[in-house]
Amino acid sequence: MTVTTALIAEAPPTRSAEQPRTRRPDRRVWLYVLPVVAVFLFVFVGPLFYTAWTALHETNYYQIGEFSGLNSLVDLFSDPSLPAQIGTTLTFSLGALVIALPAGLLSAIVLNNLHSFKRTVRSLFLLPWLMSQATAGTVWLWFLNPNFGPASAITTSLGWGPTDVFSTPGAALVAVTLITAWWSYPQAMLLFLGALQTIPEELRESLRMDGGGAWRGFISITLPYLRNTIVSVVVVLLMLYVQMVTIILVTTRGGPLAATETLSMRVYNQTFNDFDLSGASATALLLFAVNTVLTLVAIRFRRKEAL
């Protein structure tokens, strides 16, 4: 046996290229996963289970008493005022969506095509969203005040008399819907603006070379690229409107004659006015079910688009 043969025989076997190298799991990944799981359990799962637990028990003010089963849910769905509150929630949410969605899209298109004073215009468009809901509601409550509000002064000078929109049920619902849409449309604008900036400029140039105009570009290029974004914006805004409390609380408190009492306002009134914590928890579970359905619809639509 030669020296070379002996060295080859004693050398350790080399790993075949076809055999994958087994990698040990990196335990450091748990340093990133555990905080997220802890926050999720503390912020979402914990309050959800506590709300369900409260709905299954009798409550005296804020004290949880004996187990009552599904009595609070039965009382909720047997309440004769529930259909009206659901209708008010749908009218308010869909009405604000119909206004905020096109306003956000139009504002995003304007900003995307603007070349001068872009930062200034964007700041003006974002101004409503920079306010808190309480501030936005207070500003409009002052503006529409029938005694000393600027709107009342304008209508009086035109011979129409003072403006008192918050004293009439229908006008109050319209006013709250418009205020909410005005406050929330910048959120839709930002989402649309980010999506518009991902559209390849080559497509627009090709369309212009073929003689296509602005409307043709909007139908053939912009809308197809914004399809998933539109679904996302619709779901985000609807979830926001369904849970809206502050603007309604500041302006109308659910009145007049419960004309603006949405399901979220029902939760507030049951909790802080009626001290019915069990009933408020049952209504909150209904709102959670609505938000879950909206999320599942969005996920299903996006999966179909991906296929």
Side-chain angles (χ1 to χ4, degrees), residues 3-44:
V3 177
T4 305
T5 307
L7 290 175
I8 294 175
E10 294 178 1
T14 58
R15 184 182 298 273
S16 175
E18 298 179 356
Q19 296 178 354
R21 180 177 295 178
T22 59
R23 298 181 60 183
R24 295 181 180 179
D26 190 358
R27 296 181 179 180
R28 290 177 300 178
V29 71
W30 291 104
L31 296 177
Y32 303 97
V33 175
L34 288 179
V36 176
V37 174
V39 171
F40 178 75
L41 293 176
F42 180 77
V43 174
F44 178 75

Side-chain angles (χ1 to χ4, degrees), residues 1-297:
M1 179 183 296
T2 63
V3 177
T4 305
T5 307
L7 290 175
I8 294 175
E10 294 178 1
T14 58
R15 184 182 298 273
S16 175
E18 298 179 356
Q19 296 178 354
R21 180 177 295 178
T22 59
R23 298 181 60 183
R24 295 181 180 179
D26 190 358
R27 296 181 179 180
R28 290 177 300 178
V29 71
W30 291 104
L31 296 177
Y32 303 97
V33 175
L34 288 179
V36 176
V37 174
V39 171
F40 178 75
L41 293 176
F42 180 77
V43 174
F44 178 75
V45 178
L48 178 61
F49 274 96
Y50 182 77
T51 302
W53 178 262
T54 306
L56 297 176
H57 290 74
E58 296 180 356
T59 56
N60 183 15
Y61 287 91
Y62 298 123
Q63 299 295 324
I64 299 178
E66 299 179 354
F67 180 79
S68 61
L70 300 178
N71 289 343
S72 61
L73 294 174
V74 173
D75 294 340
L76 170 65
F77 289 105
S78 61
D79 188 354
S81 64
L82 180 63
Q85 292 167 351
I86 293 176
T88 301
T89 303
L90 292 175
T91 303
F92 167 75
S93 302
L94 295 177
L97 178 67
V98 168
I99 299 171
L101 189 69
L105 179 57
L106 180 61
S107 302
I109 293 175
V110 171
L111 283 177
N112 193 51
N113 295 322
L114 196 64
H115 301 289
S116 58
F117 304 105
K118 190 171 185 177
R119 292 184 178 180
T120 302
V121 176
R122 180 167 52 188
S123 300
L124 293 175
F125 282 167
L126 286 174
L127 185 60
W129 200 40
L130 296 178
M131 301 181 186
S132 65
Q133 295 183 30
T135 303
T138 303
V139 168
W140 280 101
L141 189 64
W142 163 78
F143 185 81
L144 297 174
N145 189 283
N147 298 320
F148 51 81
S152 184
I154 295 173
T155 55
T156 301
S157 64
L158 295 175
W160 298 341
T163 302
D164 194 8
V165 296
F166 294 120
S167 63
T168 306
L173 182 58
V174 171
V176 170
T177 303
L178 291 175
I179 294 171
T180 303
W182 172 82
W183 174 82
S184 60
Y185 89 90
Q187 184 174 0
M189 180 193 70
L190 288 179
L191 295 174
F192 284 132
L193 184 60
L196 286 173
Q197 294 175 350
T198 63
I199 300 177
E201 189 63 28
E202 294 80 4
L203 296 178
R204 304 180 188 275
E205 294 178 357
S206 301
L207 183 67
R208 285 193 291 266
M209 293 178 61
D210 293 338
W215 177 251
R216 183 63 181 176
F218 178 76
I219 297 298
S220 302
I221 298 176
T222 304
L223 279 184
Y225 267 86
L226 294 182
R227 189 172 302 171
N228 288 334
T229 305
I230 291 174
V231 176
S232 300
V233 171
V234 168
V235 173
V236 169
L237 290 182
L238 282 179
M239 294 177 67
L240 174 66
Y241 298 150
V242 167
Q243 302 175 87
M244 179 70 68
V245 174
T246 307
I247 290 180
I248 301 176
L249 180 65
V250 170
T251 53
T252 64
R253 292 185 175 272
L257 302 176
T260 58
E261 187 175 5
T262 59
L263 289 176
S264 57
M265 276 302 303
R266 176 190 174 99
V267 174
Y268 177 89
N269 290 329
Q270 286 180 311
T271 303
F272 299 105
N273 294 336
D274 303 332
F275 302 102
D276 182 14
L277 197 59
S278 178
S281 298
T283 309
L285 291 178
L286 177 60
L287 284 174
F288 173 74
V290 172
N291 289 332
T292 303
V293 170
L294 291 175
T295 304
L296 293 177
V297 169

